[in-house]
Amino acid sequence: MSKKIQAIRGMHDILPDRIPTWHRLEDTARRVLEGYGYSEIRTPVVEVTDLFKRSIGEVTDIVEKEMYTFPDRNDDSLSLRPEGTASCVRAAIEHGLLMQPQRLWYRGPMFRYERPQRGRYRQFHQIGVEVFGLEGPDIDLELMLMTARLWRALGLEGFRLEINSLGDAEERAAYRAELIAYLEARIDQLDEDSRKRLHSNPLRVLDSKHPQTREVVADAPSLLDHLGETSRAHLDHIRAGLERAGVDYQLNPRLVRGLDYYNRTVFEWITDELGAQGTVCAGGRYDGLVAQLGGRPTTAVGFAMGIERLVELLELGGAQNDPGIDAYLVALGERAQQEAPVLAERLRDALPELRLLVHAGGGSFKSQFKRADKSGARYALILGEDEAERGVVGVKALREQVEQRELDFTALTELLAGTPA
């Protein structure tokens, strides 16, 4: 017997019983985002590797360790996208979208070669938002209020919003020098990765998960003390807006995010329900990235949320997977089996939203009825030789104690029109 082939480690099939929860999340997100005037964009999953090296930064775990990179037949270096922002910026520059402000959103798979664990996969999915050409803190605030609305629409609670400001380039440079001096004096207490980053990307040390390094970082200088008047006013506007809107938040001076392109605002929505992988949505402002990738200087801000983590939260909260079937049509006898597909098409014409499953493959009445019940449908529609002759359909409620009835086509459509969508 041939050895069976299995999915790649860290890349998972999403089976039919879980798809309704994915649909609920994706459809709710689309409604909320479009309600704020955001337009969807779809980009390729494969890009030239240089796009991510120039945007994310070469001295990052993503570029150094985690990207799926390979040469194509022309010996060009290509990579599966590890995140969505760089692709969105590339597309906006390439297609001339930046002549006016843009509010864009996307969804799709991302790829990183990481050690698979709960909430962290090698193929994972994100919903993201990118806004171009709007400079003020009001748009940063809108993103946070919009995500808060999404949590309410999904019925999710218990998130913690953490925010920080990374300031402008000059402010970070002054802080960087002070931080390096502080860490150099304690270099023996840092983990290996933090020692490597000490001079190339010292702000990433603030984001270390290593227990001893975190103790060192706890007493490090704060970037907030280096903010100039403009950066501080930007942050204060966001904080005041969150307070007026009744959205709780925490100011976290150690929050830096893992990518090189951020400036000023950074934020994360965090849950304690998923263990170590508690960040479900994160983002911030990246005003220099468009110019860095060859476009004209354009302000930008955005976020991305992990679909797998949000789906797990919905399931932990008791999300019920809708079986997706309103009615199951059973047919017995030669004429009934010939009439069943025609009846089904008439019902679909009359009720475009109807979810109707027609039995196929033959079988006894008992076996067909068993499949109808197993399908999760609310009604079994029964078409036998006698019903076909008289132009009626038997209707048996499968989820409540109601006596079986016979209905003509008009009455049947009226009944099914009241079936919850």
Side-chain angles (χ1 to χ4, degrees):
M1 181 182 293
S2 298
K3 182 180 178 181
K4 67 178 182 180
I5 299 174
Q6 295 184 307
I8 298 169
R9 185 167 180 253
M11 299 186 180
H12 302 290
D13 301 306
I14 306 165
L15 301 181
D17 65 328
R18 298 190 75 197
I19 287 294
T21 307
W22 282 68
H23 283 171
R24 177 186 165 195
L25 170 58
E26 292 169 339
D27 292 346
T28 302
R30 177 185 55 78
R31 286 195 302 271
V32 170
L33 296 172
E34 291 181 354
Y36 280 74
Y38 287 70
S39 300
E40 185 178 5
I41 186 171
R42 302 189 183 190
T43 61
V45 297
V46 180
E47 301 271 10
V48 295
T49 303
D50 192 49
L51 172 65
F52 303 114
K53 286 186 175 181
R54 289 168 59 185
S55 61
I56 296 171
E58 294 198 49
V59 190
T60 60
D61 283 347
I62 294 175
V63 171
E64 289 182 329
K65 305 175 184 178
E66 297 170 4
M67 285 208 305
Y68 282 91
T69 297
F70 55 92
D72 72 355
R73 292 185 177 183
N74 295 322
D75 264 349
D76 294 323
S77 180
L78 306 180
S79 294
L80 297 178
R81 63 184 183 195
E83 56 95 40
T85 298
S87 294
C88 197
V89 172
R90 190 269 311 148
I93 296 171
E94 182 174 340
H95 299 287
L97 302 183
L98 302 180
M99 302 303 292
Q100 59 186 8
Q102 296 284 347
R103 285 175 163 95
L104 304 174
W105 75 277
Y106 57 85
R107 59 181 159 184
M110 312 293 165
F111 304 85
R112 296 184 192 177
Y113 189 87
E114 300 184 282
R115 182 172 64 86
Q117 55 184 289
R118 180 186 183 187
R120 174 174 284 179
Y121 309 108
R122 290 176 177 174
Q123 176 177 312
F124 56 99
H125 298 75
Q126 290 184 337
I127 294 172
V129 159
E130 314 296 348
V131 180
F132 301 107
L134 298 175
E135 184 174 1
D138 48 355
I139 191 63
D140 305 30
L141 174 63
E142 178 178 282
L143 297 191
M144 297 176 203
L145 297 180
M146 186 165 64
T147 45
R149 181 170 298 278
L150 176 58
W151 312 147
R152 294 195 299 272
L154 291 168
L156 293 174
E157 299 178 344
F159 290 135
R160 179 174 70 257
L161 173 61
E162 295 187 356
I163 67 173
N164 190 25
S165 175
L166 301 182
D168 294 332
E170 298 80 6
E171 295 157 0
R172 282 197 306 283
Y175 173 67
R176 186 177 184 275
E178 185 175 340
L179 179 62
I180 290 174
Y182 172 86
L183 295 174
E184 280 182 333
R186 297 157 180 81
I187 194 167
D188 293 341
Q189 302 172 53
L190 302 179
D191 63 278
E192 183 178 353
D193 281 346
S194 294
R195 288 197 292 270
K196 288 180 181 177
R197 293 175 175 142
L198 180 54
H199 293 281
S200 60
N201 197 351
L203 267 67
R204 285 297 315 283
V205 178
L206 299 175
D207 198 37
S208 172
K209 301 299 186 287
H210 191 278
Q212 186 170 332
T213 300
R214 289 177 71 89
E215 289 182 13
V216 174
V217 165
D219 295 322
S222 173
L223 178 53
L224 293 176
D225 295 333
H226 291 73
L227 296 183
E229 183 177 341
T230 302
S231 293
R232 186 167 295 280
H234 192 100
L235 177 61
D236 289 345
H237 180 99
I238 296 168
R239 296 178 64 183
L242 291 171
E243 291 164 8
R244 283 194 298 271
V247 177
D248 293 334
Y249 70 92
Q250 295 178 11
L251 187 63
N252 179 2
R254 304 294 181 235
L255 178 62
V256 296
R257 302 296 302 131
L259 307 177
D260 279 0
Y261 50 62
Y262 286 109
N263 68 293
R264 287 198 184 170
T265 309
V266 288
F267 66 92
E268 293 185 355
W269 287 93
I270 302 167
T271 178
D272 295 324
E273 298 294 319
L274 299 178
Q277 305 305 320
T279 299
V280 297
C281 176
R285 182 163 282 279
Y286 52 96
D287 293 336
L289 183 57
V290 174
Q292 189 176 318
L293 292 179
R296 62 190 184 91
T298 305
T299 57
V301 62
F303 66 74
M305 60 183 70
I307 295 181
E308 281 87 352
R309 296 180 188 181
L310 288 168
V311 165
E312 184 174 353
L313 288 172
L314 288 170
E315 292 173 339
L316 287 172
Q320 298 297 311
N321 279 330
D322 185 338
I325 303 299
D326 295 323
Y328 189 106
L329 178 55
V330 170
L332 286 170
E334 185 176 346
R335 177 175 176 179
Q337 289 172 356
Q338 291 174 348
E339 291 289 340
V342 177
L343 172 62
E345 293 308 302
R346 288 181 65 200
L347 288 170
R348 292 179 177 120
D349 287 342
L351 302 169
E353 300 300 318
L354 179 68
R355 300 168 296 182
L356 173 63
L357 183 60
V358 179
H359 181 83
S364 66
F365 176 79
K366 183 177 180 180
S367 66
Q368 291 191 45
F369 212 82
K370 186 179 292 185
R371 287 196 185 182
D373 187 50
K374 191 174 181 180
S375 74
R378 185 176 180 187
Y379 295 110
L381 308 184
I382 303 162
L383 188 65
E385 295 289 279
D386 182 56
E387 288 85 359
E389 179 71 27
R390 293 186 291 117
V392 296
V393 178
V395 179
K396 174 65 175 176
L398 298 175
R399 308 297 157 213
E400 52 188 322
Q401 296 296 322
V402 178
E403 192 171 329
Q404 184 171 322
R405 309 172 262 184
E406 287 186 349
L407 301 175
D408 62 18
F409 184 80
T410 300
L412 179 59
T413 56
E414 290 175 353
L415 173 70
L416 295 177
T419 300

